[in-house]
Amino acid sequence: MPPVPPPKVAEALRHLEVGASAALVVELDERTRDADAFDDVRAVAGDLGFATVSVAAVETDEVSSRSRLLEELATIATSALHEDGLQSDRTAEMLEALSRSRPVVVIIEDLRWTDPVTLQSLRTLPEPLRHLPICWVVGVSPGSRRGDRVLSVLRRLKTYTLPRHDPTDQRVVASMPLAFLQVAAVVGVEFDLDVVARVLERTVGSLLGEVDDALQSGVLADAGPRLRFADPSLRTDIYAGLSDPVRRALHHDVARELRRPGSESDAVWHLIRSTRHLSEDELALIRAAIARLSPVAPEDAAELALRVSRLFDPYDPHHIEFVTSAARDLGNTSRVGEALALVEQRRTAGLSDQDEARLRLVAAHLHQAAGDDADAMDHVDRALALPGTDDQLRIALLKTRAVGHVNLGEVDAATRLSEVLAESIELSDDPAVELSAGLFRSQLAFSKGQVSTALELAERAAHSFEVSAARPLPAPRIPELWLATVMLSSDRASEASELLLAGQRQAERRGFVWSVPYWHTVRAIERWLLEELDDAAAEAETAIHVADALEIARYVPMSRSVLSIVEADRGNVSRARRLMADATLPARPRTYDIWTAAALIRLGGSEAQAGRPWLHRYANTARIMSLPPRLWPMLVADGPESGPLRRAFDEIAHVASDQAVVVEALKATTRQQAHRPQARGAGGAPATGWDSLTASELRVASLVVAGHTNRAIASLLQVSIHTVGTHLRHVFTKLDINTRVELTRLALQRNETGRGLLEE
């Protein structure tokens, strides 16, 4: 008779029958890995007719850029997998489609070894998919902190825990040559017999006797195409018993045997645990792994680079290379402060001019991201003073200095530098360098108020060269995104909508995961300009939500400011004030502080009194141009304090007279007639129930009831899948429900199935 599964397994899976998500946390015993617990889950799920997706614990997945969860889902998918969009979005879509026919159980056997892309999905998907019948089953190793953020997300659901148990030690160590087990222990808990044989310089046939003894004694177990240690703690003990030099040398030998197509991440996992004597080919393999991880999981790419850096002495060029790489990737996350500390703590004495300049360039980019343009310029100046830098690095430094001049409002200095840049670019045959320079020229023209010139240059850049994850650019300077931004301050604002939607999809396809919040923010501005305030609020809220899920801090202040302005225009002044409650305007202006000032001024009262002094002190043409012309009139106040602001408007008037939207806004500044859309949502509008839903929320709700997936709804409504998720969260909150099933039931009760909308 088969053993009875623990009650909590059945209880967790039964929870899915009410149509909502649950989580089951399996505390792993280091010895048994609790394989029986996962078998119990599969058995109960099978008895209930649930779909099961399992991701095995494979140590080398820690450095893989593949999503094992997405791959496993693809094997049981009932519909074609879309190749565009973020991998987490595609995972969400497949889970949503699968759960429409039956509940789904997702098993992740060990968070410690889960690939970074799957980990990201586990951090971002349980909350937006909580209305679906999905049980997330995760194994947690003792002492591992890698899955802490996943656990914090899962504990917001109905969570069950299977505690770790301490089994009797039943290990039997076979009396066999120890070398076989030692090499196997280095390869992993699971291992390929042919790899062990090649490292030992033996044939597989010559190992059969030892393998049979190990299987018969229970030291090893059959794991399909591989063998595995039946007791993982025995493997740990054997591995720990090796001296450090021997262990490192064996890792290097194993990596050498794994260097074949399809096993690159396995080889890298062993290389970062090996010796300092890595060949250029091996370093190239590691660099390629970091490059694959950077666009999809920059934190993990940074951790990998740091581990590699520790293989070398502090002044070894390779050490500096990988520290610089780690700092660059951390700078794309919310850990900008850590990235800065990483480069600032590096001593430059003893470094070559080239290595020091590279380090300072990354430091400058990080300071610019943090809004410290003055410190950024100091690093750039020091780097440019070094005589031993090559032309390509010098061009990158000059561009960074030019951007700093623009950010600081030093337009004349930026203009002079652009002429030097033009001469330097002629020496480069890299089309990416030319693209970046073209975008800078467009940015410079825009900062002077030369909208038509900025548009022309931006269009040329958008059609000249396709940027990829291998040639990244900061979000505002992705060609299509920058072009849409310029359009919103021109007479061609109506063209921006289609460009933004198509451009975001292309950016996601290219691997620009970390630009997604900025796309949504710019789309929120575009919706606001069209006075589609509900959609504008949803887009800005989506930007903040996605940034939080991806742990990106860089664009959140701007997104909050945009959302505050939109909410004020909707009549939700109290919410607008809450959004700006912690806003700060530092003495060193950051790129998006002008939006903070505008949002505070829009609120009036004490908030405006905090925003105006900063604006009067730091307003210049470049910063004013960062705002859509429609916001300009409300910035002007009576009194001499507005003098700098009015002079900036006068400068813009001289160069942008061919743009009607600019001319109209400048006329309004003289009359101080700020644009005020008719407020909606104020005056006792219901906060809950069907009558509280906005038109966009009703459209999404109707399409959900009609049976469409989020991706299908996004396509029908011409918005992103993230925005659909935001609307759906609002619907659930206002109707006090948690699942699509409940939404359908409520809609049927009101006789509102959504079919009429689709017929229209």
Side-chain angles (χ1 to χ4, degrees), residues 440-694:
F440 170 70
R441 286 194 291 267
S442 176
Q443 183 188 18
L444 180 58
F446 190 70
S447 69
K448 297 177 181 179
Q450 298 168 355
V451 179
S452 298
T453 302
L455 271 173
E456 180 184 346
L457 291 167
E459 282 188 297
R460 193 183 304 164
H463 296 100
S464 66
F465 179 73
E466 182 167 306
V467 184
S468 69
R471 297 177 181 274
L473 287 168
R477 292 194 293 282
I478 293 173
E480 296 87 351
L481 184 51
W482 173 247
L483 175 57
T485 302
V486 179
M487 282 181 171
L488 294 179
S489 291
S490 75
D491 295 339
R492 296 172 57 186
S494 60
E495 300 176 39
S497 179
E498 186 176 341
L499 179 64
L500 283 168
L501 187 63
Q504 180 179 337
R505 289 173 179 167
Q506 288 178 1
E508 291 174 354
R509 202 158 46 238
R510 296 172 189 167
F512 291 140
V513 177
W514 312 104
S515 70
V516 171
Y518 197 86
W519 284 97
H520 282 289
T521 301
V522 177
R523 188 165 169 83
I525 297 167
E526 180 262 338
R527 294 285 92 189
W528 173 78
L529 287 171
L530 294 177
E531 298 193 14
E532 297 287 344
L533 300 184
D534 295 338
D535 287 346
E539 291 289 350
E541 194 172 316
T542 299
I544 297 169
H545 178 78
V546 174
D548 180 61
L550 296 175
E551 300 187 310
I552 302 171
R554 186 179 301 184
Y555 309 123
V556 171
M558 178 181 175
S559 303
R560 283 187 176 277
S561 298
V562 171
L563 181 56
S564 177
I565 290 170
V566 172
E567 292 291 13
D569 285 354
R570 294 172 84 199
N572 299 330
V573 179
S574 59
R575 189 185 183 210
R577 285 202 159 93
R578 286 197 301 274
L579 285 163
M580 302 306 294
D582 298 323
T584 58
L585 287 168
R588 284 183 170 181
R590 296 161 299 191
T591 306
Y592 305 124
D593 283 337
I594 187 70
W595 275 97
T596 303
L600 292 172
I601 291 169
R602 173 65 183 88
L603 289 171
S606 59
E607 287 89 354
Q609 291 174 9
R612 286 197 185 281
W614 184 94
L615 182 70
H616 293 153
R617 180 174 181 180
Y618 295 108
N620 56 39
T621 301
R623 293 195 179 102
I624 296 299
M625 289 301 301
S626 299
L627 298 172
R630 185 180 290 178
L631 280 174
W632 297 352
M634 76 172 189
L635 302 179
V636 182
D638 292 328
E641 297 86 359
S642 290
L645 193 61
R646 292 188 183 280
R647 284 192 291 275
F649 286 139
D650 288 342
E651 291 176 13
I652 295 171
H654 285 303
V655 295
S657 58
D658 60 334
Q659 297 291 327
V661 66
V662 173
V663 172
E664 209 44 50
L666 292 172
K667 286 180 181 177
T669 63
T670 63
R671 301 189 298 268
Q672 298 175 29
Q673 293 177 349
H675 173 80
R676 292 284 191 274
Q678 183 178 354
R680 286 181 260 171
T688 60
W690 287 100
D691 292 339
S692 69
L693 300 186
T694 67

Side-chain angles (χ1 to χ4, degrees), residues 425-442:
I425 288 165
E426 292 179 3
L427 303 174
S428 175
D429 56 0
D430 186 348
V433 172
E434 184 177 351
L435 168 69
S436 183
L439 287 170
F440 170 70
R441 286 194 291 267
S442 176

Side-chain angles (χ1 to χ4, degrees), residues 41-86:
V41 172
R42 294 184 188 95
V44 174
D47 291 343
L48 294 172
F50 295 173
T52 302
V53 185
S54 295
V55 176
V58 180
E59 291 164 301
T60 54
D61 278 354
E62 181 189 13
V63 295
S64 174
S65 59
R66 300 161 57 187
S67 172
R68 294 286 185 184
L69 176 56
L70 189 59
E71 290 176 359
E72 292 298 325
L73 279 167
T75 64
I76 61 172
T78 57
S79 57
L81 174 64
H82 291 271
E83 292 300 323
D84 62 324
L86 308 182

Side-chain angles (χ1 to χ4, degrees), residues 50-124:
F50 295 173
T52 302
V53 185
S54 295
V55 176
V58 180
E59 291 164 301
T60 54
D61 278 354
E62 181 189 13
V63 295
S64 174
S65 59
R66 300 161 57 187
S67 172
R68 294 286 185 184
L69 176 56
L70 189 59
E71 290 176 359
E72 292 298 325
L73 279 167
T75 64
I76 61 172
T78 57
S79 57
L81 174 64
H82 291 271
E83 292 300 323
D84 62 324
L86 308 182
Q87 292 191 68
S88 58
D89 289 346
R90 287 146 60 193
T91 302
E93 180 187 4
M94 298 188 77
L95 286 170
E96 182 183 353
L98 195 59
S99 65
R100 291 172 69 190
S101 59
R102 51 182 171 157
V104 180
V105 179
V106 177
I107 299 174
I108 310 294
E109 292 189 357
D110 194 339
L111 289 176
R112 175 169 58 175
W113 304 122
T114 303
D115 65 87
V117 182
T118 295
L119 268 185
Q120 184 192 94
S121 293
L122 293 172
R123 290 196 298 263
T124 58

Side-chain angles (χ1 to χ4, degrees), residues 383-433:
L384 286 169
L386 298 170
T389 56
D390 62 30
D391 291 338
Q392 189 170 358
L393 182 54
R394 187 170 181 79
I395 289 173
L397 289 163
L398 289 171
K399 285 191 296 183
T400 304
R401 177 194 262 178
V403 170
H405 283 312
V406 172
N407 291 344
L408 291 167
E410 300 165 352
V411 177
D412 290 340
T415 302
R416 289 192 297 272
L417 195 53
S418 69
E419 296 168 359
V420 177
L421 262 175
E423 296 174 2
S424 300
I425 288 165
E426 292 179 3
L427 303 174
S428 175
D429 56 0
D430 186 348
V433 172

